[in-house]
Amino acid sequence: MPKTFPTHPVPCAAGIGLRSIHIAEMLARRPSAGWIEVHAENYMGQSAAVDALEKLREIYPLSVHGVGLSLGSASGLDRDHLERLRLVCQRFQPAIVSEHLAWSVADGAYLNDLLPLRYDEEAISIVSRNIGRLQETLKRRVYIENLSAYLSFEGSIMSEAEFLAELVCRTGCGLLLDVNNVYVSANNLDFDAAAFIDALPADAVGEIHLAGHAVNEADGDVILIDDHGSRVPPAVWSLYAHAIRRIGPRPTLIEWDTDVPPLDVLLGEAMWADMLARRIAFDARPAEQSVAPDSRFAAMTLPRRDDATGIRFPALAAIAALKAACRGCGAEDYRRARHVLH
């Protein structure tokens, strides 16, 4: 019989992608993090990491993100892979489950990449059928993530955003908005990143991803590579701010998969995401709710600690994360960074 975990819905705050090098530290420190997300494929067997995730699941809200289901495969979903995903969800009872709008399987061979689709009626029918089977198997709504792209098909008759919106209409799925993927694709394929976000059905977006990317040059052209190997760059933060203003705050994940840094760096990035979202919400208040400058702190409340779980939001770790991020900085840099907190 599956273990029953506490009900931890994913809060409208920033979380971090759990990576193996941080598992022991997460268990030992139990740092302030809104929630954690794992790749489903890393937890489909039996291992020490699986046992550790069960312990972390008792502390943090959990999201499970699939990377290998290949929703765009015309031959349908791999039955064994789908069953393994079902067992992962049954075991860990995540609050959110997501997958990519991509294909990665050809003639039974798994490709080490997430490849784009041709956005036409045939592809919509295929992906809708696969999403329907996925949601029926898992007995839950699944969130579909937009892809980072480096090429497009001439036969496409709609944009990726329009394709995603149509999937929501046909299947009732949700959307995972990867802001970095939008930025990367917009630069590589020359389209308006903000307009992409504006074209999505806002109510369907249930999660946001943020990450860094690499900048490469090929034959004089600048190509952005979605490598998840650095801090969130300013341009992606700016696009994230546009997304929050457009759709409202959402659970937001900091992804970092290559050159993974110390845990405090990830927590620091989550802190900045929380602070930006809160600042946008503060600025958007009706004028009659504004407060005088000398009483601004009276209008602010710290996120409460959940006595049942001990979970604290990342903003409560702001000073600790800030100190970690500013190690080696000068005193003036630290004072300037601290000013943001006020």
Side-chain angles (χ1 to χ4, degrees):
M1 181 176 179
K3 181 176 181 179
T4 300
F5 292 100
T7 301
H8 290 331
V10 172
C12 206
I16 61 172
L18 181 67
R19 300 298 171 255
S20 59
I21 65 171
H22 297 145
I23 289 176
E25 187 176 2
M26 289 287 292
L27 285 170
R29 287 177 49 189
R30 298 191 176 191
S32 296
W35 51 287
I36 59 175
E37 183 167 280
V38 299
H39 289 166
E41 286 74 11
N42 292 335
Y43 296 88
M44 288 181 169
Q46 185 58 50
S47 65
V50 170
D51 294 337
L53 183 60
E54 282 197 337
K55 296 175 183 177
L56 288 170
R57 174 65 183 83
E58 295 177 346
I59 306 168
Y60 298 99
L62 176 68
S63 171
V64 165
H65 186 49
V67 297
L69 199 54
S70 193
L71 290 176
S73 292
S75 58
L77 303 182
D78 181 276
R79 179 169 33 183
D80 294 336
H81 191 100
L82 181 58
E83 175 61 13
R84 288 192 291 268
L85 177 60
R86 187 190 69 80
L87 292 175
V88 167
C89 293
Q90 181 184 69
R91 180 169 191 169
F92 296 107
Q93 302 155 39
I96 294 177
V97 177
S98 57
E99 248 294 350
H100 293 84
L101 177 63
W103 66 276
S104 55
V105 179
D107 296 328
Y110 279 82
L111 308 175
N112 190 28
D113 208 342
L114 297 167
L115 301 173
L117 306 173
R118 187 179 62 216
Y119 301 125
D120 59 13
E121 178 59 37
E122 182 182 9
I124 287 178
S125 297
I126 290 170
V127 178
S128 294
R129 183 171 62 249
N130 289 338
I131 290 176
R133 184 183 176 197
L134 171 61
Q135 293 186 141
E136 182 180 353
T137 299
L138 300 186
K139 303 290 191 292
R140 61 159 70 220
R141 190 184 200 189
V142 175
Y143 293 80
I144 308 303
E145 179 182 351
N146 57 289
L147 199 62
S148 56
Y150 311 96
L151 55 85
S152 59
F153 291 93
E154 289 185 352
S156 293
I157 61 174
M158 65 187 76
S159 69
E160 183 185 13
E162 291 170 330
F163 191 94
L164 287 164
E166 184 63 21
L167 287 177
V168 172
C169 289
R170 295 195 187 192
T171 70
C173 69
L175 298 179
L176 192 170
L177 171 58
D178 191 310
V179 175
N180 183 64
N181 285 359
V182 175
Y183 184 80
V184 166
S185 297
N187 278 268
N188 291 340
L189 304 182
D190 193 24
F191 64 80
D192 187 324
F196 181 104
I197 292 173
D198 294 345
L200 297 175
D203 291 345
V205 178
E207 182 182 337
I208 291 176
H209 278 187
L210 294 173
H213 55 260
V215 180
N216 295 283
E217 186 172 331
D219 298 326
D221 293 326
V222 173
I223 305 296
L224 304 186
I225 305 296
D226 178 36
D227 67 347
H228 296 179
S230 57
R231 292 181 185 272
V232 180
V236 175
W237 282 123
S238 179
L239 190 59
Y240 175 62
H242 174 83
I244 294 299
R245 293 187 182 100
R246 166 74 174 81
I247 68 174
R250 293 291 191 274
T252 298
L253 185 82
I254 302 298
E255 287 190 295
W256 205 315
D257 297 314
T258 61
D259 297 325
V260 179
L263 178 59
D264 279 337
V265 174
L266 295 185
L267 296 172
E269 292 287 278
M271 175 195 73
W272 296 123
D274 274 337
M275 291 171 62
L276 178 56
R278 287 172 186 239
R279 173 61 186 270
I280 291 171
F282 186 86
D283 290 345
R285 297 180 314 153
E288 61 270 18
Q289 293 184 19
S290 61
V291 295
D294 60 348
S295 62
R296 64 191 186 280
F297 296 111
M300 300 174 65
T301 58
L302 288 174
R304 66 179 178 81
R305 183 187 181 105
D306 187 321
D307 293 334
T309 64
I311 295 171
R312 293 170 296 162
F313 283 79
L316 291 181
I319 295 297
L322 183 62
K323 288 180 178 178
C326 289
R327 288 190 184 115
C329 298
E332 182 59 30
D333 292 327
Y334 181 64
R335 281 193 296 271
R336 188 181 302 112
R338 278 200 61 180
H339 180 71
V340 177
L341 297 176
H342 302 294

